[in-house]
């Protein structure tokens, strides 16, 4: 059992993990003719949870036909939780010296785990501001772009759709802008 845990905790080579991840989408399309998109689950969850009297027309559809996608998202959450609890590495995140210096310049200490303590301190109002604005930006971008990064970059690009190329380039440009301009500004507020 220890050998299996060590195997799961260690980094996998790109030539194994890349195809395993990349073949998930074609497999879903081939087996069940189902498109891949995680952000659609937010719509499905609202359709499930909102009472019928309060549902806007956007949420009035047969969400039961999309149970497979909700199950997929639940599996992602469960798998991530189990991996975080059982496979967490006690070692700090491996970054280059330049990466560590860049993160330290923002006022964030590199420690074990994926979420810096400075960004997980929910008693800090600045963290709530960061989470709220980030959530609004991601939600707006996802809705405006007609899907999330996984839907456009994986499914859309693999089927050579021009709108997916535009959305994917926009997602990456937004990420670069956020990492270099917005994150330093938010970290100045949080610190």
């Amino acid at each position: 059992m220890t050998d299996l845990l060590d195997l799961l905790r260690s980094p996998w080579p790109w030539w194994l993990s890349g195809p395993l991840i990349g073949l998930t989408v074609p497999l879903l399309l081939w087996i069940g003719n189902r498109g891949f998109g995680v952000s659609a689950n937010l719509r499905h969850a609202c359709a499930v949870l909102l009472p019928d009297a309060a549902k806007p027309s956007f949420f009035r559809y047969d969400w039961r036909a999309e149970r497979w996608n909700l199950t997929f998202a639940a599996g992602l959450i469960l798998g991530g939780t189990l991996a975080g609890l059982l496979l967490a590495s006690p070692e700090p995140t491996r970054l280059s010296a330049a990466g560590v210096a860049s993160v330290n310049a923002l006022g964030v200490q590199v420690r074990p785990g994926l979420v810096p303590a400075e960004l997980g301190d929910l008693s800090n109002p600045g963290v709530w501001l960061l989470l709220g604005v980030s959530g609004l930006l991601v939600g707006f971008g996802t809705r405006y772009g007609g899907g999330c990064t996984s839907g456009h970059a994986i499914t859309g690009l693999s089927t050579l759709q021009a709108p997916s190329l535009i959305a994917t380039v926009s997602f990456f440009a937004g990420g670069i802008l956020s990492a270099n301009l917005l994150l330093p500004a938010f970290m100045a507020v949080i610190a």
Side-chain angles (χ1 to χ4, degrees):
M1 185 65 160
T2 306
D3 292 337
L4 177 63
L5 286 176
D6 288 340
L7 174 70
L8 293 174
R9 284 184 179 135
S10 64
W12 288 15
W14 65 267
W15 50 264
L16 176 63
S17 56
L20 284 174
I21 295 167
L23 291 175
T24 301
V25 173
L27 190 64
L28 284 171
L29 286 170
W30 182 52
I31 290 176
N33 196 24
R34 296 182 169 152
F36 177 75
V38 176
S39 64
N41 286 303
L42 297 174
R43 180 180 183 217
H44 304 326
C46 288
V48 171
L49 298 173
L50 287 174
D52 286 335
K55 276 186 194 175
S57 61
F58 183 68
F59 298 119
R60 293 180 190 271
Y61 65 96
D62 182 20
W63 60 266
R64 287 172 182 82
E66 301 298 329
R67 280 185 298 203
W68 73 271
N69 207 357
L70 288 166
T71 304
F72 182 78
L76 289 174
I77 293 168
L78 179 64
T81 302
L82 288 175
L85 294 174
L86 300 176
L87 304 175
S89 173
E91 300 295 319
T93 305
R94 291 186 215 156
L95 294 174
S96 67
V100 171
S102 176
V103 171
N104 286 340
L106 289 172
V108 176
Q109 297 295 320
V110 177
R111 300 183 187 99
L114 296 176
V115 179
E118 294 83 358
L119 297 178
D121 180 14
L122 297 180
S123 64
N124 185 338
V127 171
W128 284 102
L129 176 68
L130 174 65
L131 292 173
V133 171
S134 300
L136 286 172
L137 288 173
V138 169
F140 173 78
T142 298
R143 188 69 200 132
Y144 187 74
C148 63
T149 324
S150 60
H152 278 299
I154 299 173
T155 305
L157 290 180
S158 67
T159 55
L160 303 175
Q161 295 179 20
S164 290
L165 176 63
I166 293 167
T168 303
V169 169
S170 299
F171 288 144
F172 277 100
I176 291 169
L177 177 75
S178 296
N180 290 295
L181 297 177
L182 294 179
L183 184 60
F186 275 119
M187 291 307 296
V189 170
I190 290 173

